[in-house]
């Protein structure tokens, strides 16, 4: 039976999820077999779909918002072809992938959900056109009124999400947002390893200022620094006190690691005149989310991160220091910066571009 069924999912976008195995966990946690958006109503582990020899079934995992089957709350129920499952704000259509789709049956289903009236819906083998309401059909008129109200709510929600999305784009840059949307960038619980160029920038002038004078002035300079980093396809990973960490290369770019290194040096040259102390390095870096489910940040770990942070701490205002591996990657002649050491006292080779 495994592999015979699939879920067609509508949750902000439409996609298909083939069902592999006999026990499919559905929820918003990344470890689930079918991952839904975290809309505040979907639990981390919301429901389990069993594909047993005696027939498929769905079990709600005692969630607060519950699970609907054809608009009826359930705790444990059997499933049949084209059953509608409601979890949070998502609609999942359970489908027997080996069964011929009946266009009339599917059209009724999609019209029930308001998909057709809302515009269009792509489904293999089916082309649906919105049906004009019959003047004396009160049920259809009421349904269209409901759809109009739903559309108003969706527009308002879209406006709020667009505003929040704008803030997100401002935080990490357009390329990262696009990489997340198209699936090129995602994090597993174990993180992901990438060959990146690291850039640390430190604002020395703010280190001695009283805390009550910092936020507005510091934010103004950070915004300028971030814009210059974004212009060179960098990603601002963290802000910490008077420092920032930026990353270059990885799944949000389309060029090789050596070009990412050159882009990073161009970004460093753009921010150093603002009085930033810049330290740079390159190499394998493990990226991952750190924090709670509703509030987390991106963590970068590896020797390159440690070396970049150390060089940043040793750089003078307006100075750029790069590690020896990064100097080799750039492939140009750089000026050695002698006399630098690791915290352990061991020599730390560095160069000035």
């Amino acid at each position: 039976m495994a592999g015979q069924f699939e879920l067609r999912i509508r949750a902000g976008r439409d996609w298909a999820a083939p069902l592999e195995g006999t026990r499919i966990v559905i929820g918003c946690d990344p470890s689930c077999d079918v991952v839904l958006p975290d809309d505040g109503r979907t639990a981390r582990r919301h429901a389990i779909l069993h594909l047993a020899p005696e027939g498929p079934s769905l079990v709600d995992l005692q969630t607060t918002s519950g699970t609907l089957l054809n608009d009826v709350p359930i705790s444990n129920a059997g499933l049949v072809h084209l059953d509608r499952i409601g979890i949070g704000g998502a609609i999942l259509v359970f489908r027997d992938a080996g069964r011929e789709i009946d266009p009339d049956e599917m059209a009724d289903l999609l019209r029930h959900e308001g998909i057709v009236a809302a515009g269009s819906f792509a489904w293999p083998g089916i082309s649906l056109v919105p049906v004009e309401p019959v003047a004396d059909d009160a049920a259809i008129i009421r349904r269209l009124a409901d759809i109009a109200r739903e559309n108003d709510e969706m527009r308002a929600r879209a406006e709020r999400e667009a505003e929040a999305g704008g803030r997100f784009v401002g935080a990490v840059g357009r390329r990262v947002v696009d990489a997340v949307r198209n699936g090129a960038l995602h994090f597993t619980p174990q993180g992901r390893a990438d060959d990146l160029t690291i850039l640390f920038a430190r604002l020395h002038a703010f280190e001695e200022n009283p805390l009550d004078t910092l936020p507005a002035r510091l934010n103004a300079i950070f915004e300028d620094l971030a814009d210059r980093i974004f212009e060179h396809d960098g990603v601002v990973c963290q802000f910490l006190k008077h420092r920032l960490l930026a990353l270059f290369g990885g799944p949000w770019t389309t060029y090789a690691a050596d070009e990412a290194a050159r882009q990073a040096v161009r970004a460093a040259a753009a921010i150093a005149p603002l009085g930033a102390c810049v330290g740079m390095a390159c190499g394998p870096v493990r990226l991952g989310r750190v924090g709670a489910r509703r509030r987390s940040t991106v963590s970068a770990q590896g020797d390159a991160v440690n070396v970049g942070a150390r060089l940043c701490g040793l750089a003078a205002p307006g100075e750029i220091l790069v590690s020896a591996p990064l100097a080799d990657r750039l492939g140009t002649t750089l000026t050695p910066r002698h006399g630098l050491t690791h915290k352990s006292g061991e020599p730390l080779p560095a160069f000035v571009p």
Side-chain angles (χ1 to χ4, degrees), residues 89-323:
I91 297 296
L92 302 84
V93 178
F94 179 76
R95 177 173 172 257
D96 186 338
R99 177 173 166 178
E100 189 75 19
I101 299 178
D102 184 283
D104 292 333
E105 187 177 14
M106 182 57 69
D108 289 342
L109 170 67
L110 298 180
R111 290 192 184 101
H112 174 86
E113 295 302 331
I115 300 172
V116 176
S120 63
F121 188 85
W123 199 288
I126 298 179
S127 177
L128 297 173
V129 178
V131 178
E132 294 296 328
V134 180
D136 59 354
D137 191 333
I140 293 181
I141 293 174
R142 285 195 300 272
R143 179 56 185 155
L144 289 176
D146 290 340
I147 291 172
R149 284 192 295 271
E150 292 168 3
N151 286 342
D152 287 340
E153 294 173 358
M154 289 173 63
R155 276 194 295 270
R157 185 166 62 250
E159 290 173 358
R160 293 193 299 270
E161 291 176 352
E163 181 182 357
R167 292 194 296 268
F168 181 54
V169 171
V172 298
R174 169 62 60 185
R175 285 183 176 269
V176 176
V177 174
D178 292 341
V180 172
R181 284 175 174 167
N182 64 30
L185 177 60
H186 62 279
F187 298 115
T188 66
Q190 295 76 32
R192 57 175 296 144
D194 290 285
D195 188 356
L196 304 177
T197 297
I198 302 294
L199 183 154
F200 276 95
R202 174 173 57 91
L203 297 174
H204 175 74
F206 287 83
E207 293 179 343
E208 303 300 329
N209 279 307
L211 289 177
D212 59 353
T213 66
L214 283 179
R217 295 172 55 208
L218 187 59
N219 287 343
I221 295 184
F222 271 152
E223 185 166 353
D224 198 356
L225 295 180
D227 285 343
R228 300 183 187 206
I229 289 169
F230 294 158
E231 288 173 2
H232 295 86
D233 296 336
V235 175
V236 177
C237 178
Q238 293 177 0
F239 293 96
L240 181 61
K241 294 184 179 179
H242 49 274
R243 297 187 180 210
L244 68 78
L245 166 61
L247 310 175
F248 294 80
W252 51 85
T253 58
T254 58
Y255 38 72
D258 55 349
E259 177 58 23
R262 288 190 284 271
Q263 287 281 68
V265 171
R266 295 183 190 114
I271 66 176
L274 299 179
C277 312
V278 181
M280 305 178 64
C282 68
V285 176
R286 181 162 293 279
L287 301 176
R289 290 192 306 160
V290 174
R293 180 170 63 94
R294 294 184 181 273
R295 178 66 178 91
S296 62
T297 186
V298 176
S299 171
Q301 299 178 359
D303 289 341
V305 179
N306 299 333
V307 171
R310 178 60 175 167
L311 291 174
C312 177
L314 296 172
E319 185 179 30
I320 304 169
L321 296 178
V322 305
S323 67

Side-chain angles (χ1 to χ4, degrees), residues 45-105:
R45 293 167 58 86
H46 198 105
I48 295 179
L49 199 159
H50 294 282
L51 299 179
E54 58 271 19
S57 62
L58 182 68
V59 177
D60 177 78
L61 297 178
Q62 300 181 6
T63 58
T64 302
S65 59
T67 299
L68 301 180
L69 181 61
N70 300 322
D71 302 324
V72 177
I74 60 101
S75 58
N76 189 338
L79 292 173
V80 296
H81 181 58
L82 297 185
D83 267 345
R84 298 185 313 278
I85 302 168
I87 294 179
I91 297 296
L92 302 84
V93 178
F94 179 76
R95 177 173 172 257
D96 186 338
R99 177 173 166 178
E100 189 75 19
I101 299 178
D102 184 283
D104 292 333
E105 187 177 14

